[in-house]
Amino acid sequence: MTMTNREPLLLVEDLEVQREGNVILKGLDIKVNRGEVVGVLGRNGAGKSTLAYSIMGLPQYAPSKGRVIFEGQDVTDWSITDRARAGITLAWQHPARYEGITVGEYLSLSRKDLGRQELLEALSLVQLEGAYLDRRVDKALSGGERKRIELASVYLMRPKLAILDEPDSGVDLLALVEIMELFRRMVREGSSVLIITHREDVAAQCNRSYLICRGHVILEGSAEAVKRYFMSQCEPCSDSSPDLVGEVAKDV
C-alpha cells in the first residue's frame, strides 16, 4: 500500500490488549500524523505503557483485537525487529542497561556512520557535557542521566516514529524545557513523536493530546483542552464508575 502525506503515519484502531486475564486497553483509537508531537496523558495504571509496548510489538502485549497501521501497512503481526526496521523506536520508561561500555559506544549503536561531533551534539541537546562520552554506562550514572543518554540515542536514530514512555522521568524541570525542544527538533528533521506521560505540563507542549482512563480514550483534542480537562476532572480522579469512560469526547 502506498502512503500519502495526508494519511496518518500511525493509526491504532479499536485496540484491545489483555494481560493475565485483565483487559488493559479497550477499543482504543489514536493516530499520529507526519510532523506531529502527540501526547498520551493519563494517570498511573491508565494503560499508557501498555499502548506503547503494543505499538512497538512486544509479544506479551499483542492485541486480542484491533489493528496497528504504520505508513499505510498493517503491522499488527510484525515483530519488534520488523517494526524497528520500518522506523518505529521506543524509549523505555526505565532505560535499558548496557553495563560496562562507554556512553560514546552506547550512542554509536544508534547508527554506524556517526562521528564524534554528532555524538557531542546529541549530548548537548539533552544538556550533557562532552565528557560523558568517555564515562561508563554503569551504576555511577543517575536515572536522569540514563534517561537523557537514551533520548540522545533515539535522536541519533532518526526514526520515523519515536515513542517516548515517560521521557520526563528523573529529569528536572529546567532540563525538561530543553528536552521538549529536542522533540520539536526531531520533528523538524523528519520524525514524528508520541509522548506517553502522566504530567499535564508535558502533554500541554504537544501539538495534540489524548487523555486515556482505564484503557479508553476519553478525550482527544488540543493539548491545552486536554490539560484543562485533566486538571479539573482527573486530579483528583472524579470517575467512580467504569461506565463513565465509554464515550470519546472531542474538543479540537
Side-chain angles (χ1 to χ4, degrees), residues 76-231:
T76 310
D77 297 325
W78 288 20
S79 68
I80 297 175
T81 300
D82 288 339
R83 296 188 202 204
R85 286 173 178 161
I88 304 175
T89 294
L90 170 63
W92 307 85
Q93 180 176 358
H94 303 291
R97 294 180 177 270
Y98 289 82
E99 304 298 327
I101 67 174
T102 67
V103 170
E105 290 168 336
Y106 172 69
L107 293 178
S108 295
L109 296 173
S110 305
R111 295 205 328 263
K112 295 179 180 179
D113 60 341
L114 291 171
R116 184 176 178 85
Q117 190 56 43
E118 290 175 284
L119 301 182
L120 290 171
E121 180 184 16
L123 285 180
S124 175
L125 290 172
V126 295
Q127 302 299 294
L128 292 178
E129 298 176 354
Y132 275 84
L133 284 182
D134 298 319
R135 289 188 58 174
R136 296 284 174 182
V137 181
D138 57 25
K139 62 183 180 181
L141 292 174
S142 70
E145 288 170 328
R146 283 181 179 271
K147 174 67 76 172
R148 296 192 206 189
I149 290 165
E150 184 179 35
L151 293 175
S153 175
V154 169
Y155 168 74
L156 290 168
M157 289 178 191
R158 303 290 196 270
K160 294 177 182 176
L161 175 66
I163 307 168
L164 309 174
D165 191 9
E166 302 286 0
D168 52 290
S169 177
V171 176
D172 59 68
L173 289 176
L174 184 60
L176 182 59
V177 173
E178 301 296 335
I179 287 173
M180 289 303 300
E181 177 54 35
L182 170 65
F183 302 154
R184 287 186 278 270
R185 177 169 176 157
M186 289 175 65
V187 166
R188 292 195 298 270
E189 295 182 3
S191 298
S192 296
V193 178
L194 180 64
I195 296 178
I196 309 295
T197 184
H198 68 280
R199 287 176 52 173
E200 72 278 357
D201 55 339
V202 174
Q205 297 184 59
C206 299
N207 299 121
R208 292 188 299 113
S209 291
Y210 292 87
L211 177 60
I212 69 173
C213 179
R214 301 185 184 182
H216 294 276
V217 171
I218 62 170
L219 186 66
E220 171 197 355
S222 71
E224 186 58 36
V226 171
K227 174 185 176 180
R228 287 198 307 268
Y229 186 93
F230 181 79
M231 293 182 68

Side-chain angles (χ1 to χ4, degrees), residues 28-95:
L28 188 143
D29 298 303
I30 71 163
K31 69 177 179 180
V32 178
N33 297 314
R34 291 181 181 274
E36 276 194 313
V37 180
V38 175
V40 174
L41 175 65
R43 291 164 60 89
N44 291 335
K48 305 185 302 298
S49 291
T50 295
L51 172 62
Y53 300 158
S54 185
I55 295 171
M56 193 65 237
L58 274 69
Q60 59 269 46
Y61 293 88
S64 53
K65 180 183 176 184
R67 301 191 303 165
V68 177
I69 310 295
F70 184 69
E71 289 198 308
Q73 297 188 79
D74 189 336
V75 302
T76 310
D77 297 325
W78 288 20
S79 68
I80 297 175
T81 300
D82 288 339
R83 296 188 202 204
R85 286 173 178 161
I88 304 175
T89 294
L90 170 63
W92 307 85
Q93 180 176 358
H94 303 291

